[in-house]
Amino acid sequence: MLEGYDPLMEYAVGVDIGGTKINAGLVTPHGDVVHTVSLSTKAGFTKTVDRAFQAIQRLIEEVTAMNAGIQFKGIGVGTAGQIDWKAGSIRSASELIPGYAGTDLKALLQTQFQLPVIVDNDVNVLALTEKYLGSCIGVEDFICLALGTGVGGAIIVEGRLVHGSWGGAGELGHMSVDFKGPTCVCGGKGCLEHYASGTSIARRMQEKLTIHSLPLDNINSREVIERWREGDRLATEVMKETIAALGSAIASFIHIFNPKVIVIGGGVAEAGELLFEGIRREVATRTMPSMLEGVRIEAAYRGNSCGMIGAALQIWEYGVPSLSSSNEGFI
């Protein structure tokens, strides 16, 4: 018997697709996770959509073996990459998931499982977790920033995610914080991602160590942050740059969107209160007092299931589409 299973409850399958792992879970409309399956993505060796099929199939088989009569309301997916939200397809993806761009994920999943499917960007679905379980319960206007390998974002205005013309809204990591800055991987100059991602923090620290003829030791962002906490001069320089870039970007977000909360998550945010105190100070120096009043800058909801939960919550957030419809029909 499934622990916590209620035959009167609706259930959705939530799927979190990343470059390393695919997590699938049976989720309630309250965000409770009843059962999970996790598989390695095997990016570059196996088609990512095939691994998603396997994760979902295993979840369904395990759940129905424990409760044969269980009904699935639909499948919600949060995935890395830029998503054509209306079509539920992968418009663009990084080299972390080779061959993923162009995948008609929604259509393939619907055909395979004969269930309604909704697909969105991984940070957008994390914003739904914040909306219902995290710092933004009852908040109509907020911004999410995810500081990880890159910098992702999500924008919520009047309680609704902003998707833009095809789903690409919220690429906050590619807002320029220095129009004369170095060229970013996106082709722009001085992007926030160039300063605030875990990758960029490690890279800039390596550059400083090289200049000073100090050992690199394959340093990563976690170690940079630890050295910063210990008062290391070079790590402090790197993190001051990171905080200045974040402060500049967040001040602009506040001026543009007038949010109530700025939520910051991802691996870099695990630096904790030392980082958040610095960001709050920097934002205060760059934001009009009238706009800053009442704005909270908070840490994101924690837990490995956040993406999977937010993915599933799409099924109740937008309503269940017909199997033949695009995402466009249920917003």
Side-chain angles (χ1 to χ4, degrees), residues 56-173:
I56 297 167
Q57 186 65 45
R58 185 180 297 180
L59 177 77
I60 290 173
E61 288 173 355
E62 290 180 3
V63 167
T64 53
M66 290 182 274
N67 288 89
I70 195 167
Q71 298 293 311
F72 302 96
K73 189 173 176 68
I75 299 171
V77 180
T79 178
Q82 291 182 336
I83 310 305
D84 187 320
W85 193 70
K86 295 175 182 178
S89 61
I90 312 303
R91 188 177 178 111
S92 176
S94 76
E95 65 279 2
L96 292 175
I97 311 182
Y100 196 38
T103 302
D104 291 325
L105 190 58
K106 174 184 172 178
L108 291 167
L109 290 174
Q110 286 190 163
T111 299
Q112 180 76 10
F113 295 103
Q114 290 300 296
L115 286 168
V117 175
I118 304 173
V119 179
D120 206 346
N121 170 265
D122 49 6
V123 184
N124 280 351
V125 303
L126 286 173
L128 294 183
T129 306
E130 291 299 328
K131 179 178 177 180
Y132 292 106
L133 302 177
S135 301
C136 298
I137 296 172
V139 176
E140 291 282 294
D141 299 274
F142 64 96
I143 303 289
C144 285
L145 273 176
L147 313 178
T149 305
V151 173
I155 304 163
I156 295 78
V157 174
E158 296 182 350
R160 292 165 64 103
L161 268 161
V162 176
H163 284 99
S165 62
W166 52 261
E171 279 283 10
L172 303 181

Side-chain angles (χ1 to χ4, degrees), residues 8-266:
L8 301 178
M9 181 79 74
E10 291 183 328
Y11 293 91
V13 175
V15 187
D16 179 15
I17 300 176
T20 304
K21 283 188 176 181
I22 297 175
N23 297 319
L26 186 68
V27 182
T28 75
H30 308 300
D32 297 318
V33 180
V34 179
H35 190 70
T36 62
V37 165
S38 183
L39 298 178
S40 60
T41 306
K42 294 186 177 179
F45 298 95
T46 304
K47 283 186 177 180
T48 299
V49 68
D50 290 341
R51 292 296 282 173
F53 284 167
Q54 291 168 26
I56 297 167
Q57 186 65 45
R58 185 180 297 180
L59 177 77
I60 290 173
E61 288 173 355
E62 290 180 3
V63 167
T64 53
M66 290 182 274
N67 288 89
I70 195 167
Q71 298 293 311
F72 302 96
K73 189 173 176 68
I75 299 171
V77 180
T79 178
Q82 291 182 336
I83 310 305
D84 187 320
W85 193 70
K86 295 175 182 178
S89 61
I90 312 303
R91 188 177 178 111
S92 176
S94 76
E95 65 279 2
L96 292 175
I97 311 182
Y100 196 38
T103 302
D104 291 325
L105 190 58
K106 174 184 172 178
L108 291 167
L109 290 174
Q110 286 190 163
T111 299
Q112 180 76 10
F113 295 103
Q114 290 300 296
L115 286 168
V117 175
I118 304 173
V119 179
D120 206 346
N121 170 265
D122 49 6
V123 184
N124 280 351
V125 303
L126 286 173
L128 294 183
T129 306
E130 291 299 328
K131 179 178 177 180
Y132 292 106
L133 302 177
S135 301
C136 298
I137 296 172
V139 176
E140 291 282 294
D141 299 274
F142 64 96
I143 303 289
C144 285
L145 273 176
L147 313 178
T149 305
V151 173
I155 304 163
I156 295 78
V157 174
E158 296 182 350
R160 292 165 64 103
L161 268 161
V162 176
H163 284 99
S165 62
W166 52 261
E171 279 283 10
L172 303 181
H174 296 288
M175 174 180 183
S176 178
V177 292
D178 180 2
F179 72 92
K180 293 183 178 180
T183 301
C184 176
V185 292
C186 73
K189 288 188 178 295
C191 291
L192 175 62
E193 182 168 298
H194 189 84
Y195 300 97
S197 70
T199 306
S200 73
I201 289 170
R203 186 199 69 249
R204 287 183 291 114
M205 185 67 177
Q206 289 168 359
E207 290 170 353
K208 289 180 182 294
L209 290 170
T210 299
I211 290 169
H212 289 83
S213 301
L214 294 170
L216 300 179
D217 298 326
N218 294 316
I219 196 165
N220 57 29
S221 60
R222 193 179 299 273
E223 186 173 344
V224 176
I225 289 167
E226 189 57 38
R227 292 188 186 190
W228 175 42
R229 286 198 184 103
E230 294 170 355
D232 179 89
R233 181 176 62 84
L234 296 180
T236 299
E237 289 177 6
V238 169
M239 293 309 297
K240 279 185 175 179
E241 290 173 353
T242 298
I243 288 169
L246 284 165
S248 176
I250 291 169
S252 294
F253 301 152
I254 291 170
H255 291 144
I256 296 166
F257 296 107
N258 187 208
K260 187 72 175 175
V261 183
I262 305 288
V263 182
I264 305 175

